[in-house]
Amino acid sequence: MSKGRAEAVAGASGILLRYLQEQNRPYSAQDVFGNLQREHGLHKAAVVKALDQLAQQGKIKEKMYGKQKIYFADQEQFDTVSDADLQVLDAKIVALTAKVQSLQQSCRHMEAGRTGQPPEELKELASALTTPEMQKEIQELKKECAGYTERLKNIKAATNHVTPEEKEQVYRERQRYCKEWRKRKRMATELSDAILEGYPKSKKQFFEEVGIETDEDYNLKLPDP
C-alpha cells in the first residue's frame, strides 16, 4: 500500500469508527461511503479498507449476509437496555408526538382566527402563549421527540439483547455445571477418604504430596441450587 493510500485509510478509520458508534446501526461499505462521501470526501476503496481494518482490530463487528458484509459498532460498549426501558421510551415518544400535534393544531386555529374571534376553547391558551412562543415550544418538543425516536431506533438496532429463551438456556447450563461440580467433588472426597484410612500422615500432608488443590484453597464455594 502506498504512503498516500495508507494515510487516507488511517484518516477514514477515525471518521468511520465515530460514525458507526454514533449511529449504532448496521451498514454496508456502500451505505457508509454514500452517507459520508460528500461531507468528508472519502474514496470508496479507503472506506472498504478502513472498515476491514477496524473489524480486524476488534473496534467494530462485521457479519456476512449472503455475499455482502455488514459492519456495526461493538455492542459491548453500550449499556444493556431492558424491555421496560424500551416501553418507557415508546410511551414518551407517543406522549410527545401527541403534544406536538395538539400545539400545531392550536397554532393553525390561532392563525386562521387572527381576523376574527378565536375559538372559545383557545382563549385561555392564546392569553398564555403568543404564536411565536407556541412555535418555539413546538420546535423544542419536536427536537426532544426526535431525540427519543433516534435513541429508541439505536436501541432496537442493537444486537446485544438477551431473549427469554437465551436467559433460560444460561440458567439450565449453570444448573448442569453445578450438578457436575457437586458430583465430582463428592467422588473425589470419597476416594481421598478411602485412601486416608490406611495413610500414615494427615489429610493436609497427603494433599500436598499428591498435589491436590481444593475449592477451599481458592475460596470457592458451590452456588446454591
Side-chain angles (χ1 to χ4, degrees):
M1 183 186 300
S2 65
K3 181 179 179 181
R5 186 177 178 186
E7 291 176 350
V9 172
S13 295
I15 296 172
L16 300 180
L17 178 60
R18 183 168 58 254
Y19 180 74
L20 290 177
Q21 290 175 339
E22 290 175 353
Q23 299 300 316
N24 193 23
R25 56 177 297 182
Y27 289 102
S28 67
Q30 180 62 43
D31 292 334
V32 175
F33 170 71
N35 294 341
L36 299 179
Q37 189 272 337
R38 178 176 297 180
E39 180 179 356
H40 298 283
L42 301 176
H43 296 288
K44 185 174 180 180
V47 169
V48 173
K49 185 66 176 177
L51 288 171
D52 285 338
Q53 285 187 356
L54 288 171
Q56 291 171 5
Q57 294 166 0
K59 294 180 179 179
I60 64 174
K61 299 295 184 181
E62 67 176 10
K63 284 190 177 181
M64 290 294 300
Y65 288 93
K67 297 181 179 180
Q68 187 178 45
K69 278 186 181 180
I70 299 297
Y71 303 88
F72 51 93
D74 185 357
Q75 299 302 306
E76 294 296 330
Q77 64 185 302
F78 300 112
D79 294 334
T80 302
V81 180
S82 66
D83 290 339
D85 291 332
L86 291 176
Q87 292 174 1
V88 169
L89 285 173
D90 276 329
K92 285 184 177 180
I93 290 172
V94 171
L96 288 170
T97 302
K99 191 171 183 180
V100 168
Q101 292 173 348
S102 176
L103 287 171
Q104 287 176 327
Q105 185 177 9
S106 298
C107 282
R108 285 194 294 269
H109 282 308
M110 292 186 70
E111 290 289 343
R114 278 184 173 179
T115 57
Q117 188 70 14
E120 190 69 28
E121 64 272 13
L122 295 178
K123 286 183 178 180
E124 182 178 350
L125 181 60
S127 63
L129 288 173
T130 64
T131 299
E133 289 172 340
M134 293 180 70
Q135 293 287 359
K136 182 179 179 181
E137 183 172 351
I138 287 174
Q139 293 304 316
E140 290 175 352
L141 286 169
K142 280 184 175 180
K143 185 177 180 181
E144 186 177 356
C145 185
Y148 282 122
T149 302
E150 183 65 20
R151 185 182 173 196
L152 182 61
K153 181 180 70 175
N154 291 339
I155 290 171
K156 289 182 175 180
T159 59
N160 64 335
H161 298 306
V162 179
T163 65
E165 291 78 12
E166 290 172 332
K167 186 185 294 184
E168 181 62 29
Q169 177 66 21
V170 171
Y171 284 143
R172 285 199 301 267
E173 290 183 358
R174 176 181 178 274
Q175 290 177 341
R176 179 165 62 86
Y177 291 138
C178 287
K179 182 179 180 181
E180 187 66 22
W181 185 356
R182 291 188 183 87
K183 176 183 176 182
R184 296 192 178 196
K185 184 173 184 177
R186 183 175 62 253
M187 292 172 60
T189 301
E190 292 174 352
L191 182 60
S192 62
D193 288 345
I195 295 174
L196 287 169
E197 288 181 0
Y199 191 73
K201 299 180 182 180
S202 67
K203 181 177 181 180
K204 181 179 180 180
Q205 289 174 315
F206 170 66
F207 281 3
E208 290 176 350
E209 290 181 3
V210 177
I212 295 176
E213 297 176 335
T214 66
D215 294 339
E216 289 72 22
D217 291 336
Y218 293 91
N219 296 319
L220 295 178
K221 184 179 178 182
L222 269 167
D224 294 330

